[in-house]
Amino acid sequence: MKAGGHPDPPAEGARLRGVPGPRFAGCPGPKRPRLDKLGVKPGARVALVGHRDAAFRRELLARTRDVSEGRLRRGSDLIFFAVKGPAALARLATLQRAIQRDGAIWVLWPKGRKEIKEDLIRDAALRHGLVDVKVVAYSETLSGLKLVIPVAKR
């Protein structure tokens, strides 16, 4: 400490508490792969319902060969369910019966649409006995909400 009660200046290259380091100064750092962000594990049983995205399907097939498209499969670890409006959310009860008790349903919806928003999906999930645990920017055009069966009901 310098005379007069002032602290010494920080050493060259030292980080100040509460001040972002170089990784955060305009540089986001390494980006996590989308499948990691979505919780897709190697060998997972995945179903794509209403979701036609060839690039995502290729990503999935690089991690797991157990992928079905367009139809539900009992015992799915993850279901990616694309919706364009609130009427599709009535299928959540059926989707819930298709997942493992510790599985999840990712509801994907177009960003910026007035007729379908996160709160609407969350309310529908609660009506069907599901809870939301995570929201992500799935892509530049889609958002995703992860729904699971509450632990107390597994």
Side-chain angles (χ1 to χ4, degrees):
M1 184 151 308
K2 286 188 171 190
H6 297 288
D8 291 327
E12 181 82 21
R15 286 185 45 196
L16 298 175
R17 178 179 233 149
V19 176
R23 176 173 169 229
F24 300 103
C27 177
K31 187 175 180 183
R32 267 178 69 195
R34 176 166 55 173
L35 293 183
D36 290 349
K37 188 167 66 166
L38 298 171
V40 180
K41 294 184 176 22
R45 176 175 272 192
V46 179
L48 303 173
V49 179
H51 187 51
R52 305 258 187 254
D53 180 342
F56 183 62
R57 190 169 201 291
R58 283 190 301 275
E59 282 179 57
L60 281 173
L61 289 172
R63 185 157 297 183
T64 181
R65 299 311 250 161
D66 200 353
V67 177
S68 69
E69 196 167 354
R71 63 181 170 81
L72 290 178
R73 294 183 57 200
R74 290 249 177 239
S76 291
D77 296 302
L78 294 168
I79 296 174
F80 291 90
F81 176 47
V83 299
K84 293 184 177 151
L89 297 172
R91 292 190 67 190
L92 287 175
T94 303
L95 297 174
Q96 177 186 357
R97 288 190 296 273
I99 61 172
Q100 296 279 353
R101 300 308 291 168
D102 62 348
I105 301 164
W106 278 101
V107 178
L108 308 173
W109 74 96
K111 292 179 180 179
R113 300 274 294 271
K114 292 179 183 176
E115 65 276 5
I116 185 89
K117 299 254 184 226
E118 184 178 332
D119 288 340
L120 182 72
I121 297 166
R122 186 174 288 116
D123 291 342
L126 289 171
R127 283 194 307 276
H128 293 290
L130 298 164
V131 294
D132 67 290
V133 293
K134 188 174 187 178
V135 65
V136 298
Y138 171 84
S139 69
E140 289 185 23
T141 59
L142 296 174
S143 291
L145 190 64
K146 184 178 183 180
L147 307 176
V148 299
I149 298 168
V151 174
K153 294 183 179 182
R154 292 182 194 171

